[in-house]
Amino acid sequence: MRLDALDLDSTFAIAGLRLASAAGWTSAPGAGRRGLERAWSSRDRLSPPDRALLFAEVGPDYPAVSPLAKYLTWWERAVDLAPDQPERWYELGDFYFHEGPYLQIESTRKRAADAFRRSVALDSGSAPLGHLLEIALLDDDTAEVRHLA
């Protein structure tokens, strides 16, 4: 019989948050939702950096949908509270890249690229190189395209 941390302790909020983060990379149906629900129900037990990450992931109005601007506020806070976490920098960059234009954020591609570069500086194996290449192509920066390729 296989038990995981959530089965052993239903209030294990950090395990729920990590399960939700990892669920996008697995094929376990419902794992992400289960993790977020556990994390949300025990959010008062999370550290401030982990609580900020939870709010960035689900929005501060969960289970209702939050406006995009609130997600951005929480992604920026999540990075401010744990600047040594490359995944947070990647997610902030990804938010700027995909949602920044809708929010009419000034210099959204530059902000995205800066966040992606910070992620890579913290962990050279992180995954933003594809987005950095897209940004270089959109900016017609042939030197950067060559460098990344």
Side-chain angles (χ1 to χ4, degrees):
M1 173 184 216
R2 184 181 161 273
L3 293 176
D4 64 20
L6 290 176
D7 293 327
L8 295 171
D9 181 356
S10 65
T11 63
F12 195 17
I14 195 68
L17 185 55
R18 298 296 184 247
L19 174 62
S21 293
W25 301 100
T26 71
S27 59
R33 181 127 183 105
R34 178 176 170 236
L36 290 176
E37 287 171 356
R38 290 287 171 87
W40 186 261
S41 67
S42 299
R43 65 192 174 280
D44 57 323
R45 295 179 182 203
L46 291 170
S47 68
D50 288 333
R51 191 173 313 119
L53 180 60
L54 175 64
F55 285 10
E57 290 278 352
V58 301
D61 304 319
Y62 183 84
V65 176
S66 299
L68 278 179
K70 285 187 178 182
Y71 285 93
L72 174 59
T73 297
W74 282 101
W75 274 117
E76 290 174 338
R77 188 169 299 163
V79 164
D80 287 343
L81 292 173
D84 61 333
Q85 300 293 310
E87 309 84 24
R88 294 180 189 217
W89 284 104
Y90 174 84
E91 292 295 341
L92 176 61
D94 200 54
F95 190 93
Y96 281 136
F97 185 80
H98 293 288
E99 310 302 343
Y102 298 110
L103 292 172
Q104 299 178 343
I105 295 172
E106 206 171 304
S107 306
T108 189
R109 285 199 307 256
K110 180 186 179 329
R111 289 180 188 211
D114 290 345
F116 289 141
R117 285 189 193 99
R118 184 72 183 267
S119 177
V120 170
L122 290 166
D123 178 5
S124 61
S126 66
L129 295 178
H131 277 332
L132 283 169
L133 183 58
E134 287 179 80
I135 291 168
L137 288 167
L138 290 168
D139 290 345
D140 200 26
D141 185 346
T142 55
E144 183 69 2
V145 169
R146 277 191 221 106
H147 170 76
L148 292 168

